[in-house]
Amino acid sequence: MDGFPSFLAVIGHPIGHTLSPVLHRAAFRALGIDASYTAYDVAFERLPEVVRAMRTLEFRGFNVTIPHKTAVIDLLDECTPTALRMGAVNTVYVSDGKWIGDNTDGAGYLLSLGREHGFAVQGKRAVLLGAGGAAMGVADALLGAGLDALWILNRHRAKAEALARRLAQHYQTNIVTGTIAEWPRERVDLLINATPVGMVGFLEGELPVPPDVFHERMLVSDLVYRPLVTPLLAAADKAGAKTSGGLGMLVGQGALAFERWFGVFPSMDVMLAAAMPELDGSASK
Ligand code: NAP
């Protein structure tokens, strides 16, 4: 380092419940890096002036969350192919003086599946529930890693179809779209919930799928991490399936962002351990 602390941030609106400062500050401490990471609540119309200010103050980079993930693209110098495919940026870093937008959500998801279960995507069949921003990142990463077949099941069929069309511009994999009523007859190896169903304070206690879809060789993954054990994960576990919670993806995308900024891959265990106390008992948060 050059003797000055590095400035980093996450910008979004609302930003109140973000765990990113906790994750990154833990990694700074563990690696002895002199840096600050702050959460800024930035209203949509203030995005350009805030990004300008971060450039002026020579921030090392920043994370971007809802509602700025797409709008920020026009304010940067370049975007990675991943961010361009998704039309969304979650991480901005500086390279040769240029501000580059990247998206580490999908790669972070794959990292967590590999780390927790040694799950190899190649040749597998997956059902993805939801067709929003999180679903896009996960689908892109799974298809890029050689998934054999993907069903996108969404409450509104048209949105699943729009996502499938977008993915089909980049991948040849067979993608089937529908609603939850059209659960595939074929073997499903991986089920991903990319909807907020089951989340604390939203559709708490609800299952996004009928309870008879699980089987013992299925990996069931929920992107929701409040609560840590969602109704979906509890039901899947009871049926003998393997499970994976949303905190792994959050930490994975954060660790990859950290690597873009500092060129060092931080300890995901350190980041996970820092986040846990914030989420334990999150039923009341
Ligand atoms: P989004 O863009 O708003 O998309 C939400 C999706 O959920 C849409 O497909 C929507 O369906 C569906 N949905 C919403 N309410 C529903 C309901 N009552 N029943 C069935 N489907 C419903 O949101 P997002 O950013 O993709 O986030 C989705 C979830 O992933 C959130 O819970 C978020 O917390 C989680 N997430 C986790 C991570 C992580 O790191 N673990 C990262 C990002 C997001 P329609 O199209 O029919 O409206």
Side-chain angles (χ1 to χ4, degrees):
M1 300 287 126
D2 50 15
F4 293 99
S6 299
F7 296 128
L8 293 132
V10 55
I11 57 170
H13 180 74
I15 200 74
H17 284 110
T18 180
L19 285 175
S20 292
V22 171
L23 302 180
H24 289 292
R25 288 172 191 163
F28 297 154
R29 277 193 299 277
L31 288 164
I33 289 176
D34 187 10
S36 73
Y37 187 107
T38 310
Y40 292 110
D41 194 325
V42 176
F44 189 73
E45 61 279 8
R46 289 194 52 225
L47 180 68
E49 67 176 284
V50 169
V51 170
R52 254 196 320 275
M54 289 197 287
R55 280 196 195 238
T56 306
L57 293 171
E58 296 185 2
F59 270 54
R60 199 176 189 97
F62 59 97
N63 285 128
V64 186
T65 188
I66 289 166
H68 304 306
K69 284 184 159 190
T70 300
V72 76
I73 291 175
D74 289 340
L75 304 170
L76 304 173
D77 298 315
E78 282 174 19
C79 280
T80 62
T82 308
L84 291 176
R85 276 196 313 278
M86 293 188 204
V89 161
N90 81 331
T91 300
V92 176
Y93 63 95
V94 186
S95 175
D96 292 333
K98 287 185 178 163
W99 280 50
I100 316 279
D102 197 1
N103 197 314
T104 64
D105 282 338
Y109 176 71
L110 284 193
L111 202 57
S112 70
L113 283 196
R115 192 169 174 271
E116 290 172 26
H117 292 284
F119 187 83
V121 173
Q122 193 134 28
K124 300 290 196 320
R125 295 155 173 255
V127 168
L128 177 61
L129 307 173
M136 172 74 199
V138 165
D140 181 78
L142 289 172
L143 294 173
L147 193 75
D148 189 46
L150 177 65
W151 285 261
I152 303 175
L153 306 183
N154 195 47
R155 180 175 58 176
H156 295 105
R157 179 189 298 272
K159 207 159 155 193
E161 287 167 356
L163 175 55
R165 274 197 301 277
R166 183 168 188 139
L167 292 164
Q169 291 171 11
H170 306 286
Y171 301 103
Q172 266 86 55
T173 309
N174 185 29
I175 303 174
V176 181
T177 55
T179 66
I180 194 67
E182 289 146 274
W183 187 267
R185 291 172 184 274
E186 292 88 338
R187 180 198 82 235
V188 173
D189 305 298
L190 174 66
L191 163 62
I192 310 120
N193 177 38
T195 79
V197 176
M199 194 163 94
V200 165
F202 188 64
L203 292 163
E204 212 163 327
E206 288 194 27
L207 270 184
V209 286
D212 59 355
V213 300
F214 310 115
H215 62 79
E216 286 184 2
R217 296 185 61 201
M218 184 190 271
L219 173 57
V220 178
S221 142
D222 202 332
L223 304 195
V224 172
Y225 52 83
R226 283 188 166 97
L228 281 169
V229 181
T230 61
L232 174 69
L233 297 183
D237 183 57
K238 202 169 158 201
K242 290 171 286 200
T243 62
S244 172
L247 188 55
M249 172 174 171
L250 186 77
V251 168
Q253 64 75 32
L256 289 165
F258 190 101
E259 190 183 38
R260 305 284 187 277
W261 299 325
F262 295 102
V264 182
F265 195 82
S267 161
M268 288 173 65
D269 287 335
V270 163
M271 291 174 125
L272 269 173
M276 280 297 188
E278 305 289 322
L279 292 170
D280 276 347
S282 66
S284 60
K285 286 190 180 176

